[in-house]
C-alpha cells in the first residue's frame, strides 16, 4: 500500500514516532477521570489543538513539547459512547490489565495489589496523557497549559494521584526521563543496556527507510541488506488497514472511531539493579568472559548495543561501539559521516539467527531472540513456512517509553527506578499478551520447555537459563536460580484514537448504527 | 439518470477532494469536519433547497478492502459524496440549490478539485454534472410529487388523525360544524400554509 494512503495528520504522533529518539528525552505521564460526560467531552475538545500528530517533522519546525492521549474502556464509557460501540471493543481491552494478571504473569511482587496506589481502584482511570519534551522547561510549560484547561472543568474532570517516587506515594503524575551522562541523554536503561534499538517498521510509517532492516519482516534475503527485509503491513499497528493476514484487523465500530487508531499497553516496570548486578557478578565468576558476557548472553546484545550474532567477543563489541559513537557524532556534520553512521547502524539491526541456529553465539532464550525471533522459528528447516516470519510477523509490537527514577544506591533494590514501557499494536491479545505469556514467561516455542526470559521473566529464584555454547571449547553453561530482576508496578490497556475520532467523541458523533 | 413521472429524481455526485492538507489537517478531514458540524432536519442548510426529499453528504476515504486474494485498489483521492432525491429536473433543482444555498454549497465543496471555478448557478450545474454518477438503484421514500404538496399532505394527515380522534361520537350536525372549522383552519388547498416545514421529519 503506497504511503500516501496513510493520513499521518490523523494519526497520533506517538504511534509513528519514538519521541525519546527524536530529541525528546523528558516525559510526564498523567491520568484523568471524568465525573461528567459533557465535562469530559469539553476537556478533550480543548485538548485537540495540542495533540501531536504523526505528520513528518521535516515539513515543519518540530514542537518543543508533544502531547498524546488515550482512553480506557471505562473512560470511553464515561464519555458516553453507545453500548453497541463499547461492546465492539476486544475483551482484553474492556477487562483491563489487572484482570489479565494471570496471563501476563503479574504474580507475587508483581501482583496488582503491590502496584502504585493509582492502580488500586477499579474503573478509576479513564484517560492517559503523555507529554514529551525537549527540555524540562518545555515540559513544565506544556503541563501548565494542560492544568489551565483542566481548571475549566470545575472539578468535573480530575487528575488522579497515586504515583510513587520513593518518598511519596501520592504524586499527581509519573515522571520519566532518559538517563543523562555528562549532561547528555543516553539510550540506556538502569541495568546499563542500550534500549529500543530495533523497532518494527511498517508501511506508511514515514520513518527512515533504512529502519526496515531488522525492523521489517524477514524475507529469505541477506539480513544485512535491504533485500533481507520488507515493511510490515500497516494493519499490524494501525486500525483500518490490511494486516499480515491481508485482512482488515478486527476493530470497534463505527469505522470512523477506529480508523487511524490503535491500542496501547502502559506498564511501569521496576528494575532491581542490585539483584541484577549481584547476579551477573556471581555467575560471571564461573562464566568465561565474566559478568559482562553473562549480561550480554541474557540480552542477546552487549550492553553497548552490539548484537552477539555479529560481535561474539567483548573486544569486537567494544571496538564497534566506539566506532559507532564516533560516527554518530560525525553524522551531523558531514555527508560522509552520515553515510558511515548509516552503515554502522545496520550492523546493530541487520542480522537474524540463521547462522546461529544452535544458539552458540546468541542463546536461544536470550531476550532479543524471544521478543523478536527474526524469522528463526523455522529452526533451519528449509522453507518450513511460506515465509520465514510466519510465526512472528503477527507478534510484533511498537515499543515506546523512557526510564524513570534514578539509581541513587546501586547496592539496594529499593527506590523507584525502572522503565515506563509502552507497547503499541492493533491487538493487545495477539501481540503484547502473546509475547508476554508465551515468549517472555514460557519457552516452548524456542524448544526451551518452561524456561523464561532471563531478564524480564517472572522468576521465582528457581528458574535457570541455558547458554548453549556449542563446541568443546565453548561448552553449555547453565545460569542457575535466576531471581526476578524486573517487577510490575502498574499498568493498563488504552485505546489511542485518531484525530477525527477524538473530535467525534468530543462532539458526541459516535454512532454505530 | 432515472427520471420517470411520479417518481423522485435521484442524484449521486462524487467530487474528488484535493490531496494534501492545510498545514495540519488533510482537506478530506476538513471537509468531514464541516459536514459533521451541519444541522439536520429543519435547520439543515438543505432545507433551504427547494424540492429536496432527502439527501446525504459523506466523505469516501477509499474503496472497500475485501481481503485476500483480492487485488488491492485505491482511489486516487478521497471523494465528497452527495446523494439526494428531489422533485423535478436536474437543471432546475441545481439552479435553485445555488440560488437558495450558495454560501453553504461553497463551504461544502470548497476543498474539492476545481470547485474554485464555480462562481454562479450555471457553472455549479456544469460542475455537478461532471461529477455525477449514473444512479440506477436508490432508496425511494417519496411519491415524487412536488415537496410542498407532500409536506401539506403530511400535515393534513397529522391534523386529520387528531381531528378524528377528538371528534368521535359527535352528532352529525356537530361533526359537520367541526369539520367546517377544521377545513377553515387547515386550508387543504393552500400549499403555502399551514404545513410542515422542509426538513421536518417528525410530528
Amino acid at each position: 500500500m503506497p504511503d500516501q494512503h496513510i493520513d499521518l495528520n490523523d494519526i497520533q504522533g506517538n504511534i509513528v514516532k519514538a519521541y525519546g529518539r527524536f530529541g525528546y528525552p523528558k516525559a510526564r505521564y498523567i491520568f484523568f477521570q471524568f465525573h461528567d460526560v459533557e465535562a469530559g467531552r469539553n476537556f478533550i475538545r480543548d485538548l485537540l489543538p495540542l495533540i501531536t500528530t504523526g505528520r513528518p517533522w521535516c515539513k515543519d519546525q518540530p514542537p518543543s513539547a508533544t502531547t498524546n492521549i488515550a482512553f480506557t474502556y471505562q473512560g470511553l464509557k464515561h464519555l458516553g459512547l453507545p453500548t453497541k460501540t463499547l461492546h465492539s471493543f476486544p475483551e482484553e481491552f474492556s477487562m483491563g490489565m489487572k484482570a489479565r494478571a494471570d496471563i501476563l504473569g503479574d504474580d507475587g511482587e508483581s501482583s496488582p495489589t503491590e502496584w502504585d496506589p493509582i492502580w488500586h481502584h477499579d474503573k478509576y482511570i479513564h484517560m492517559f496523557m503523555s507529554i514529551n519534551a525537549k527540555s524540562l522547561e518545555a515540559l513544565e510549560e506544556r503541563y501548565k497549559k494542560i492544568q489551565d484547561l483542566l481548571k475549566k472543568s470545575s472539578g468535573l474532570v480530575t487528575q488522579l494521584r497515586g504515583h510513587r517516587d520513593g518518598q511519596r506515594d501520592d504524586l499527581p503524575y509519573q515522571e520519566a526521563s532518559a538517563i543523562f551522562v555528562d549532561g547528555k541523554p543516553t539510550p540506556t536503561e538502569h541495568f546499563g543496556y542500550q534500549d529500543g534499538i530495533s523497532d518494527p517498521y511498517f508501511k506508511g510509517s514515514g520513518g527512515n527507510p533504512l529502519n526496515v532492516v531488522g525492523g521489517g519482516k524477514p524475507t529469505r534475503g541477506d539480513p544485512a541488506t535491504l533485500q533481507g527485509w520488507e515493511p510490515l503491513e500497516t494493519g499490524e499497528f494501525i486500525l483500518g488497514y490490511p494486516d499480515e493476514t491481508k485482512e482488515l484487523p478486527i476493530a470497534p465500530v463505527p469505522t470512523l472511531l477506529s480508523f487511524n487508531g490503535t491500542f496501547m499497553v502502559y506498564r511501569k516496570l521496576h528494575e532491581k539493579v542490585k539483584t541484577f548486578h549481584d547476579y551477573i557478578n556471581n555467575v560471571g565468576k564461573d562464566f568465561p568472559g565474566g559478568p559482562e558476557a553473562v549480561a550480554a548472553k541474557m540480552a542477546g546484545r552487549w550492553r553497548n548495543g552490539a548484537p552477539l550474532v555479529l560481535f561474539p567477543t567483548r573486544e569486537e563489541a567494544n571496538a564497534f561501539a566506539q566506532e559507532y559513537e564516533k560516527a554518530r557524532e560525525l553524522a551531523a556534520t558531514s555527508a560522509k559521516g552520515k553515510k558511515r553512521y548509516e552503515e554502522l547502524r545496520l550492523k546493530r539491526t541487520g542480522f537474524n539467527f540463521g547462522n546461529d541456529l544452535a544458539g552458540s553465539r546468541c542463546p536461544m532464550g536470550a531476550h532479543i531472540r524471544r521478543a523478536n525471533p527474526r524469522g528463526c522459528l523455522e529452526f533451519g528447516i528449509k522453507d518450513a513456512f511460506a515465509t520465514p516470519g510466519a510465526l512472528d510477523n503477527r507478534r510484533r509490537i511498537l515499543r515506546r517509553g523512557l526510564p524513570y527514577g534514578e539509581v541513587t544506591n546501586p547496592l539496594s533494590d529499593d527506590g523507584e527506578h525502572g522503565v515506563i514501557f509502552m507497547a503499541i499494536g492493533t491487538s493487545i491479545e495477539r501481540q503484547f499478551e502473546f509475547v508476554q505469556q508465551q515468549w517472555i514467561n514460557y519457552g516452548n516455542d524456542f524448544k526451551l520447555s518452561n524456561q523464561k526470559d532471563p531478564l524480564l521473566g517472572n522468576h521465582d529464584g528457581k528458574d535457570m537459563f541455558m547458554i548453549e555454547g556449542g563446541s568443546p571449547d565453548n561448552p553449555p553453561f547453565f545460569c542457575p536460580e535466576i531471581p526476578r530482576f524486573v517487577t510490575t508496578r502498574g499498568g493498563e490497556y488504552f485505546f489511542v484514537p485518531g484525530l477525527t475520532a477524538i473530535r467525534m467523541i468530543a462532539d458526541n458523533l459516535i454512532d454505530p448504527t | 439518470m432515472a427520471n420517470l413521472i411520479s417518481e423522485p429524481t435521484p442524484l449521486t455526485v462524487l467530487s474528488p477532494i484535493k490531496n494534501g492538507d492545510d498545514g495540519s489537517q488533510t482537506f478530506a478531514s476538513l471537509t468531514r469536519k464541516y459536514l459533521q458540524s451541519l444541522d439536520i432536519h429543519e435547520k439543515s442548510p438543505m432545507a433551504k433547497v427547494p424540492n429536496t426529499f432527502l439527501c446525504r453528504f459523506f466523505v469516501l476515504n477509499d474503496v472497500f478492502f475485501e481481503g485476500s486474494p483480492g487485488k488491492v485498489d485505491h482511489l486516487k483521492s478521497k471523494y465528497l459524496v452527495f446523494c439526494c432525491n428531489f422533485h423535478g429536473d436536474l437543471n432546475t433543482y441545481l439552479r435553485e440549490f445555488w440560488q437558495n444555498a450558495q454560501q453553504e454549497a461553497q463551504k461544502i465543496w470548497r476543498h474539492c478539485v476545481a470547485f474554485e471555478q464555480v462562481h454562479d448557478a450555471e457553472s455549479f450545474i456544469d460542475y455537478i454534472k461532471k461529477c455525477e454518477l449514473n444512479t440506477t438503484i436508490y432508496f425511494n421514500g417519496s411519491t415524487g410529487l412536488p415537496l410542498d404538496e407532500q409536506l401539506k399532505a403530511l400535515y393534513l394527515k397529522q391534523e386529520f388523525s387528531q381531528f378524528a380522534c377528538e371528534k368521535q361520537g359527535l352528532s352529525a350536525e356537530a361533526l359537520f360544524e367541526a369539520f367546517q372549522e377544521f377545513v377553515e383552519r387547515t386550508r387543504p388547498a393552500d400549499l403555502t400554509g399551514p404545513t410542515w416545514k422542509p426538513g421536518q421529519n417528525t410530528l
Side-chain angles (χ1 to χ4, degrees), chain A residues 452-498:
Chain A
K452 298 171 180 176
D453 184 310
L455 283 171
L456 293 183
N458 59 346
H459 305 295
D460 55 6
K462 296 176 192 158
D463 298 326
M464 63 106 167
F465 164 56
M466 182 168 62
I467 300 172
E468 280 85 356
S471 63
D473 56 344
N474 182 17
F477 185 91
F478 296 94
C479 298
E481 298 174 347
I482 304 182
R484 195 174 296 195
F485 297 122
V486 175
T487 63
T488 313
R489 291 276 170 92
E492 189 50 282
Y493 293 158
F494 294 92
F495 174 59
V496 191

Side-chain angles (χ1 to χ4, degrees), chain A residues 262-280:
Chain A
T262 191
F263 291 96
M264 185 187 84
V265 175
Y266 175 98
R267 274 164 90 75
K268 181 177 182 179
L269 300 174
H270 174 63
E271 294 184 281
K272 296 158 78 173
V273 287
K274 176 181 187 295
T275 301
F276 175 76
H277 287 118
D278 283 354
Y279 188 81
I280 60 169

Side-chain angles (χ1 to χ4, degrees), chain B residues 90-134:
Chain B
L90 183 60
N91 282 9
T92 308
Y93 178 71
L94 292 175
R95 190 170 293 109
E96 290 184 338
F97 189 144
W98 185 262
Q99 287 164 353
N100 290 281
Q102 177 189 337
Q103 284 187 354
E104 285 83 354
Q106 283 171 322
K107 282 181 184 165
I108 289 168
W109 270 276
R110 74 186 136 173
H111 297 302
C112 290
V113 173
F115 195 75
E116 62 276 5
Q117 292 171 28
V118 173
H119 44 79
D120 57 18
E122 295 313 305
S123 51
F124 180 64
I125 293 168
D126 287 348
Y127 184 88
I128 295 297
K129 283 185 171 176
K130 276 184 184 152
C131 299
E132 187 190 354
L133 234 65
N134 186 30

Side-chain angles (χ1 to χ4, degrees), chain A residues 328-340:
Chain A
R328 193 167 65 87
E329 284 169 22
L330 288 174
T333 55
S334 75
K336 197 177 158 194
K338 193 178 174 199
K339 187 164 178 284
R340 182 62 185 149

Side-chain angles (χ1 to χ4, degrees), chain A residues 51-360:
Chain A
I51 292 175
T52 310
T53 70
R55 181 182 169 82
W57 279 329
C58 55
K59 287 186 176 176
D60 314 292
Q61 183 70 22
S64 57
T66 68
T67 304
N68 293 101
I69 61 174
F71 302 96
T72 61
Y73 178 84
Q74 291 299 329
L76 296 172
K77 197 171 168 183
H78 282 79
L79 285 166
L81 261 64
T83 305
K84 186 175 177 181
T85 292
L86 291 169
H87 285 178
S88 67
F89 277 92
E91 188 180 45
E92 74 276 11
F93 171 71
S94 54
M95 289 172 76
M97 187 183 285
K98 273 190 291 186
R100 309 288 281 185
D102 287 349
I103 289 168
L104 301 176
D106 285 336
D107 58 9
E109 57 192 314
S110 293
S111 299
T113 51
E114 307 299 312
W115 293 1
D116 285 8
I118 188 168
W119 309 102
H120 287 182
H121 307 273
D122 278 336
K123 304 176 181 175
Y124 192 57
I125 291 170
H126 293 167
M127 189 178 97
F128 158 92
M129 176 187 289
S130 58
I131 303 176
N132 280 69
K134 287 178 180 286
S135 65
L136 205 50
E137 295 71 39
L139 184 71
E140 292 293 354
E141 190 184 326
R142 178 58 60 98
Y143 182 69
K144 188 177 173 306
K145 260 188 198 171
I146 305 293
Q147 296 297 304
D148 291 344
L149 295 178
L150 189 62
K151 277 181 203 146
K152 283 173 66 181
S153 81
S154 305
L156 295 174
V157 178
T158 49
Q159 182 172 338
L160 299 171
R161 306 182 79 92
H163 303 273
R164 292 191 191 121
D165 75 344
Q167 316 285 320
R168 295 167 55 181
D169 64 1
D170 65 343
L171 293 172
Y173 50 75
Q174 174 67 54
E175 201 83 332
S177 169
I179 296 172
F180 280 67
V181 173
D182 300 331
K184 288 183 184 168
T186 67
T188 57
E189 45 67 67
H190 294 293
F191 291 157
Y193 291 101
Q194 287 211 7
D195 201 7
I197 294 172
S198 272
D199 219 19
Y201 182 84
F202 60 93
K203 291 179 183 173
S205 63
N208 182 341
L210 280 182
N211 292 345
V212 74
V213 175
K217 57 186 170 188
T219 65
R220 297 197 190 279
D222 180 355
T225 67
L226 287 167
Q227 286 69 46
W229 307 87
E230 283 176 352
L232 286 149
E233 294 295 336
T234 313
E236 292 296 314
F237 305 102
I238 302 177
L239 294 167
Y241 303 89
D243 64 19
E244 283 295 326
T245 63
K246 312 289 183 200
E247 301 288 344
L248 294 176
I250 295 167
V253 293
T255 306
L256 277 179
L257 172 68
S258 52
F259 191 57
N260 288 332
T262 191
F263 291 96
M264 185 187 84
V265 175
Y266 175 98
R267 274 164 90 75
K268 181 177 182 179
L269 300 174
H270 174 63
E271 294 184 281
K272 296 158 78 173
V273 287
K274 176 181 187 295
T275 301
F276 175 76
H277 287 118
D278 283 354
Y279 188 81
I280 60 169
N281 287 334
N282 283 336
V283 174
K285 285 176 193 160
D286 301 320
F287 185 70
E292 202 57 46
V294 174
K297 292 289 187 185
M298 290 203 292
R301 290 183 188 274
W302 297 90
R303 287 200 282 184
N304 60 28
L308 280 173
V309 166
L310 300 181
F311 303 95
T313 68
R314 192 177 176 191
E315 291 70 30
E316 289 168 284
N318 286 348
F320 167 73
Q322 278 179 10
E323 194 185 0
Y324 176 81
E325 278 310 311
K326 208 168 131 189
R328 193 167 65 87
E329 284 169 22
L330 288 174
T333 55
S334 75
K336 197 177 158 194
K338 193 178 174 199
K339 187 164 178 284
R340 182 62 185 149
Y341 172 57
E342 292 198 328
E343 284 167 9
L344 292 176
R345 264 183 63 196
L346 295 188
K347 289 192 182 293
R348 289 172 30 124
T349 57
F351 64 93
N352 64 17
F353 307 104
N355 293 325
D356 188 27
L357 292 170
S360 59

Side-chain angles (χ1 to χ4, degrees), chain B:
Chain B
M1 183 172 65
N3 190 6
L4 302 175
I5 292 168
S6 84
E7 283 194 4
T9 312
L11 174 65
T12 306
V13 178
L14 267 77
S15 306
I17 300 172
K18 290 174 190 163
N19 291 317
D21 56 60
D22 71 343
S24 66
Q25 296 176 69
T26 59
F27 296 124
S29 289
L30 291 166
T31 301
R32 178 181 288 116
K33 191 174 172 179
Y34 181 70
L35 293 177
Q36 290 179 332
S37 75
L38 294 175
D39 279 323
I40 57 173
H41 303 321
E42 296 95 316
K43 292 181 180 170
S44 164
M46 293 306 290
K48 293 196 287 185
V49 179
N51 281 317
T52 306
F53 295 148
L54 53 89
C55 74
R56 187 178 183 204
F57 287 99
F58 62 93
V59 173
L60 178 67
N61 276 338
D62 207 343
V63 287
F64 187 76
F65 176 71
E66 294 186 341
S68 182
K71 181 175 175 290
V72 181
D73 274 330
H74 295 290
L75 297 175
K76 286 179 183 167
S77 63
K78 295 180 180 179
Y79 283 81
L80 166 63
V81 183
F82 170 51
C83 312
C84 76
N85 290 349
F86 60 89
H87 168 79
D89 73 281
L90 183 60
N91 282 9
T92 308
Y93 178 71
L94 292 175
R95 190 170 293 109
E96 290 184 338
F97 189 144
W98 185 262
Q99 287 164 353
N100 290 281
Q102 177 189 337
Q103 284 187 354
E104 285 83 354
Q106 283 171 322
K107 282 181 184 165
I108 289 168
W109 270 276
R110 74 186 136 173
H111 297 302
C112 290
V113 173
F115 195 75
E116 62 276 5
Q117 292 171 28
V118 173
H119 44 79
D120 57 18
E122 295 313 305
S123 51
F124 180 64
I125 293 168
D126 287 348
Y127 184 88
I128 295 297
K129 283 185 171 176
K130 276 184 184 152
C131 299
E132 187 190 354
L133 234 65
N134 186 30
T135 309
T136 51
I137 300 175
Y138 60 97
F139 175 73
N140 185 351
S142 170
T143 65
L145 291 170
L147 184 66
D148 52 1
E149 288 187 33
Q150 295 197 47
L151 292 172
K152 185 76 191 192
L154 288 166
Y155 165 77
L156 280 176
K157 185 180 172 192
Q158 173 193 2
E159 289 292 334
F160 187 71
S161 300
Q162 188 71 22
F163 172 83
C165 184
E166 283 174 7
K167 308 299 179 190
Q168 64 181 328
L170 291 185
S171 66
E173 292 79 13
L175 188 59
F176 182 75
E177 197 176 322
F179 187 69
Q180 279 189 318
E181 283 170 18
F182 171 82
V183 170
E184 277 169 31
R185 179 170 62 81
T186 58
R187 303 207 298 276
D190 185 354
L191 296 181
T192 61
T195 184
W196 273 21
K197 293 175 187 161
Q200 191 169 345
N201 75 327
T202 52
L203 298 178

